[in-house]
Amino acid sequence: ILAPVLDVLPEDAAKRSNMTTRVFGPDQRLVAVMVLAYADGIVEAGAIPVGKFYPGIGTPVDVDGQKFVTLDADRGELAKLMFPFNEAANRSLAGIMVGHVAVPVLDRDNPRRSAALSPVMVEKILRQYWSYSGVILADDVALNPMADNPEQAGAVSALLAGCDAAIYL
């Protein structure tokens, strides 16, 4: 099951009211408790949960006429937004879906690169730093606005970044 959503409600949620119904709120600790309980319920029902959308909700920005979604936060705010994902990794959640938000403060060499295509976000942080051993899925690479050629290069880039599989719709 591609759930639960582990995102922490961003401070500017009023601007993006569609997200308020998809997340558990602005408190990263409460979000972590709620999503892990949700995931436990999925497991008890006999299914496999995949938490999403690592590393968190970003903000759409327009760069040279192209839409990018960026999680433009300092390290302190980023730690808050990523906390539920870290807790899910610590609890060995079966799967984590990586979204298409760029994280410039962490992926400095390629600040507009989608997290799903970023070896920094997938291999370095999820696999090495957090020691996550579950399945890592790249969110729909066909819709990834940050891939040059999403139909081909997006899936390959996601796998090279360390994802185990890529969703293609």
Side-chain angles (χ1 to χ4, degrees), residues 1 3 7 47 52-53 66 72 87-88 92 96 113 119-120 125-126 135 137 147 154 159:
I1 296 177
D7 295 292
K52 59 185 186 178
F53 297 95
Q66 290 186 301
D72 197 16
E87 290 296 296
S92 299
I96 293 178
R113 178 168 45 194
V120 172
I125 294 173
L126 274 174
V135 174
L137 297 174
L159 296 173

Side-chain angles (χ1 to χ4, degrees), residues 75-139:
R75 287 186 181 264
E77 181 66 14
L78 197 54
K80 173 185 171 184
L81 298 173
M82 292 174 65
F83 179 80
F85 297 97
N86 183 276
E87 290 296 296
N90 288 337
R91 282 267 306 272
S92 299
L93 187 69
I96 293 178
M97 182 185 297
V98 185
H100 296 306
V101 58
V103 187
V105 72
L106 296 177
D107 195 350
R108 293 176 186 226
D109 290 339
N110 198 338
R112 288 192 258 172
R113 178 168 45 194
S114 162
L117 309 181
S118 171
V120 172
M121 299 304 299
V122 178
E123 187 62 36
K124 186 174 180 183
I125 294 173
L126 274 174
R127 290 284 189 219
Q128 294 174 12
Y129 189 68
W130 289 353
S131 301
Y132 181 66
S133 61
V135 174
I136 300 175
L137 297 174
D139 197 3

Side-chain angles (χ1 to χ4, degrees), residues 10 18-19 21 31-32 35 37 41-42 54 58 67 69-71 74 76 80 102 110-111 113 128 130 138 145-146 160:
N18 66 321
M19 290 308 296
T21 60
V31 170
V35 298
I42 291 171
Y54 169 81
K67 290 286 185 197
V69 180
T70 303
L71 190 53
D74 62 32
K80 173 185 171 184
N110 198 338
R113 178 168 45 194
Q128 294 174 12
W130 289 353
M146 298 173 192
L160 290 173

